[in-house]
Amino acid sequence: MKKNHLQKSGICALLAVLAMCACTNKDSEAAGSPSAASSVQMMELNQNLTPVKADDDFRSTYEVFVYSFADSDNDGIGDLKGLISKLDYIEDLGFNEIWLMPVCPSDTYHKYDVNDYKDIDPEYGTMDDFDALIKECDQRGIEVIVDLVLNHTSDTHEWFREAHEYLKELPEDWEASAEYCPYFDYYNFSRDAGDGYSPLSDTNWYYEARFWSEMPDLNLDSEKVRSEISDIMKFWLDHGVHGFRLDAVTSYYTGNNEKNIEFLKWLVAEGKKLNPECYFVAEGWTDRNTFAQYYASGIDSMFDFSFANNDGVIASVIKGSDANAYGEAQVREQELFASYNENYINAPFYTNHDMARSAGYYPNDDGSKVKTAIAMNLFMRGNAFVYYGEELGMKGSGKDENKRAPMYWSDDPEAEFMCTGPIDMDEVKMVFPSYEAQKDDPLSIYNYAKQALKIRNSFKEITHGEVAMQYDACNNRVTAYTKSYEGSTILIVMNLSGEAAEADLSSAAEFSELKAVLNTNEEKIELNDSTLKLPGWSIAVLGKKQ
Ligand code: CA
């Protein structure tokens, strides 16, 4: 892959922040309130776009927590049948891949402690339901990737229970051996209480359990464990999954990136041996320079933690730091990631099930900031991930359960498909309306997200292209950059402030056509000759005239 160089393109742009007062009706236009806007510009202009069917792993992926998504049988817990009923919703939004958080049997509501890797948790349904889900997704061109939690199992997993029984019976002065109990080798048992080790009840042994005593760490050096992992991947690939989201890869060998990368290299090769198309994306929750190194394993994607969360690049820029930081960080990443693996596919995301939801990042936001953040996430190259409910501006922060609140289909908790949410969840008060109230409002967060996805899916320059800053068209609240893919280039200009702005694009004369726009209010983006007028919090995609 060609390295990208900053292109100072000689656009001579004069950018003036107009003293136009923020439109008077703006405050009353909270994201979901019915609006008289019959002519929101993006609804008209973007009608001309034609989304391209994805045929590789540069996708738009929706992260689903089945437990809280859609309940089909009124027990309050989301399930696979409920998810199947909502596939039209997911497809209609513009997603072409789903990441399912763990669906295997588990003792916890979140199911990150698996006790059987080859089945579906009865709360969620059956393997037949899963097969039906895959079939329905396949008909819609939606790929499914499942969470693969390999750092640890549940302490109720048969492997751990067998090993525990063996050590309980083992006479004090006998040497423990996997010869007598193969599962002794599946975990890291020790006679000593090491760092991150928990005491094994009714024995004088300890076992490694970094996250929680009920989640014993697997011994990933064990050939038998590796063979089990290979069987597990085969099982799910045979059931039609497209690949795996790998949980907690930096914890495989805690504190040892080199060993983690070495294990990942084995894992990825093994998966691709089973199916060359098998896709992997990993969670390495650490700084950019560190998770970038994991690309050396040959893994397809690493989650791009540097853009995510309340302190990541996207939220920081929206909260007022230099607008160019958004494009510049992408330019740096293009070079950094490619230096480890030129076939890398970045996995940008903005929030996930471990992070506070975005609606809490911006006090007094009328929805414009939440919307713009969604676009900034979706305008990035690679496989872009969106956590369920972010397209509605759902709220949720504090304890983990609150971040995993029921999908806000309706204001009525008794409405069809509504879930009750994790038992220990606090009452989560939403600031933006439910899907039911947003769906027909052209200025809702939901419709904005749908337009942003439509734009993403219509331009390979966005999903696949490289970023080059166009500094002459930028000031600190308006940023401009090009994205190029296979000889085609588009110009993207973002006004990342609440005030109207003007940009002079006279020396970028080739970008003379407004191809797509994202508006957060009824004011229009206008291109007159070479002057681009941008209302507050608006985004323009410009291309060459056909
Ligand atoms: Ca249910």
Side-chain angles (χ1 to χ4, degrees):
M1 189 167 299
K2 260 188 247 145
K3 294 284 199 309
N4 193 30
H5 298 285
L6 296 189
Q7 294 169 3
K8 286 232 173 192
S9 74
I11 294 175
C12 175
L14 171 69
L15 191 123
V17 176
L18 299 182
M20 248 183 220
C21 54
C23 52
T24 47
N25 60 353
K26 198 166 163 191
D27 289 341
S28 65
E29 263 175 38
S33 60
S35 162
S38 55
S39 62
V40 175
Q41 184 187 21
M42 63 183 175
M43 301 304 237
E44 291 175 359
L45 185 66
N46 300 349
Q47 265 181 21
N48 304 324
L49 300 175
T50 315
V52 187
K53 200 170 153 33
D55 57 359
D56 55 21
D57 288 317
F58 291 74
R59 289 183 175 256
S60 310
T61 303
Y62 194 59
E63 178 190 353
V64 176
F65 180 39
V66 175
Y67 193 96
S68 286
F69 194 63
D71 175 22
S72 72
D73 58 2
N74 286 318
D75 66 353
I77 298 173
D79 43 61
L80 296 178
K81 283 198 170 111
L83 172 58
I84 291 170
S85 300
K86 293 297 183 184
L87 287 177
D88 287 343
Y89 170 86
I90 295 170
E91 182 188 18
D92 185 53
L93 262 169
F95 291 103
N96 47 33
E97 183 165 270
I98 295 172
W99 153 26
L100 294 179
M101 285 166 60
V103 291
C104 293
S106 166
D107 302 315
T108 56
Y109 80 93
H110 54 70
K111 311 198 193 297
Y112 274 97
D113 43 347
V114 177
N115 61 36
D116 180 355
Y117 285 95
K118 295 180 185 168
D119 205 349
I120 294 292
D121 191 296
E123 286 183 336
Y124 287 180
T126 63
M127 280 311 300
D128 284 345
D129 294 339
F130 188 83
D131 292 340
L133 171 72
I134 294 287
K135 203 174 147 203
E136 291 287 336
C137 286
D138 197 44
Q139 283 166 5
R140 293 169 170 83
I142 294 175
E143 298 283 11
V144 175
I145 59 173
V146 291
D147 226 303
L148 194 52
V149 187
L150 299 178
N151 178 64
H152 50 262
T153 69
S154 166
D155 67 344
T156 60
H157 194 291
E158 190 195 349
W159 303 337
F160 193 76
R161 284 192 284 114
E162 294 267 347
H164 190 183
E165 282 307 309
Y166 165 68
L167 291 176
K168 268 207 292 206
E169 302 300 321
L170 188 75
E172 186 58 25
D173 51 348
W174 285 32
E175 194 85 350
S177 165
E179 210 181 305
Y180 299 105
C181 173
Y183 303 114
F184 172 70
D185 204 30
Y186 278 36
Y187 299 89
N188 297 309
F189 292 104
S190 168
R191 299 259 192 200
D192 305 313
D195 181 35
Y197 279 65
S198 294
L200 185 65
S201 61
D202 303 321
T203 72
N204 292 324
W205 288 83
Y206 297 84
Y207 61 97
E208 189 188 13
R210 299 275 169 174
F211 285 92
W212 182 33
S213 60
E214 292 176 30
M215 291 179 172
D217 281 47
L218 280 166
N219 171 17
L220 299 173
D221 281 336
S222 156
E223 284 306 318
K224 289 205 173 96
V225 167
R226 292 194 181 201
S227 157
E228 298 273 11
I229 290 171
S230 186
D231 283 351
I232 292 163
M233 291 197 291
K234 183 171 185 322
F235 177 85
W236 291 103
L237 289 167
D238 286 349
H239 278 279
V241 306
H242 178 58
F244 303 97
R245 178 266 183 187
L246 304 172
D247 185 57
V249 301
T250 49
S251 299
Y252 284 166
Y253 299 87
T254 303
N256 191 335
N257 288 320
E258 206 178 315
K259 283 207 79 175
N260 293 334
I261 292 165
E262 196 181 289
F263 176 75
L264 262 189
K265 193 173 172 183
W266 170 81
L267 183 70
V268 169
E270 194 70 12
K272 291 187 190 286
K273 210 154 67 186
L274 293 166
N275 181 346
E277 305 280 297
C278 180
Y279 170 77
F280 288 94
V281 54
E283 175 205 29
W285 195 340
T286 176
D287 62 278
R288 178 190 285 143
N289 286 331
T290 307
F291 73 71
Q293 294 169 30
Y294 282 66
Y295 275 115
S297 67
I299 193 163
D300 302 285
S301 299
M302 294 295 299
F303 281 116
D304 193 344
F305 275 86
S306 51
F307 280 78
N309 216 343
N310 202 359
D311 56 357
V313 172
I314 292 174
S316 303
V317 165
I318 286 187
K319 283 188 267 192
S321 68
D322 182 0
N324 290 343
Y326 168 67
E328 285 168 351
Q330 292 178 69
V331 171
R332 273 200 302 281
E333 289 192 344
Q334 287 166 180
E335 302 201 5
L336 179 65
F337 299 163
S339 73
Y340 291 102
N341 175 3
E342 64 172 18
N343 296 317
Y344 82 94
I345 300 169
N346 191 25
F349 73 107
Y350 173 49
T351 62
N352 67 18
H353 60 281
D354 289 322
M355 293 174 180
R357 284 185 179 275
S358 143
Y361 297 177
Y362 317 112
N364 305 318
D365 178 32
D366 67 354
S368 301
K369 293 178 182 177
V370 166
K371 289 173 183 169
T372 305
I374 290 171
M376 289 168 79
N377 179 30
L378 289 172
F379 274 32
M380 287 176 66
R381 172 176 197 245
N383 186 0
F385 285 72
V386 176
Y387 184 44
Y388 81 97
E390 289 295 291
E391 75 277 19
L392 303 175
M394 273 175 65
K395 193 96 192 299
S397 60
K399 58 163 104 154
D400 283 344
E401 287 84 349
N402 302 351
K403 303 164 185 167
R404 305 161 187 173
M407 175 66 176
Y408 197 29
W409 299 112
S410 163
D411 213 18
D412 173 11
E414 303 296 319
E416 203 185 4
F417 298 112
M418 285 298 291
C419 305
T420 49
I423 289 159
D424 292 331
M425 184 182 80
D426 301 321
E427 194 191 343
V428 179
K429 206 165 158 24
M430 297 297 160
V431 287
F432 298 111
S434 68
Y435 166 64
E436 207 170 61
Q438 289 196 34
K439 63 180 166 34
D440 297 324
D441 175 4
L443 283 171
S444 67
I445 297 171
Y446 166 79
N447 274 309
Y448 183 97
K450 194 170 159 179
Q451 291 298 319
L453 276 154
K454 188 174 189 188
I455 297 172
R456 171 177 182 79
N457 295 332
S458 299
F459 291 95
K460 280 209 164 182
E461 293 91 337
I462 291 180
T463 48
H464 295 64
E466 300 220 321
V467 172
M469 293 301 298
Q470 300 299 324
Y471 284 109
D472 293 342
C474 304
N475 78 2
N476 72 333
R477 297 314 309 152
V478 172
T479 190
Y481 60 92
T482 54
K483 289 202 84 169
S484 304
Y485 179 67
E486 289 187 340
S488 177
T489 301
I490 56 173
L491 175 71
I492 296 174
V493 188
M494 297 182 168
N495 181 358
L496 301 176
S497 78
E499 275 140 56
E502 250 182 38
D504 180 353
L505 306 178
S506 53
S507 58
E510 69 268 35
F511 301 108
S512 57
E513 190 173 323
L514 212 46
K515 296 269 189 193
V517 294
L518 286 168
N519 321 94
T520 53
N521 57 46
E522 287 176 47
E523 287 178 83
K524 290 183 164 58
I525 292 174
E526 285 173 42
L527 180 65
N528 295 319
D529 296 326
S530 55
T531 303
L532 184 67
K533 287 176 78 171
L534 294 155
W537 299 112
S538 66
I539 297 173
V541 177
L542 298 108
K544 293 163 189 174
K545 267 216 169 79
Q546 295 293 329

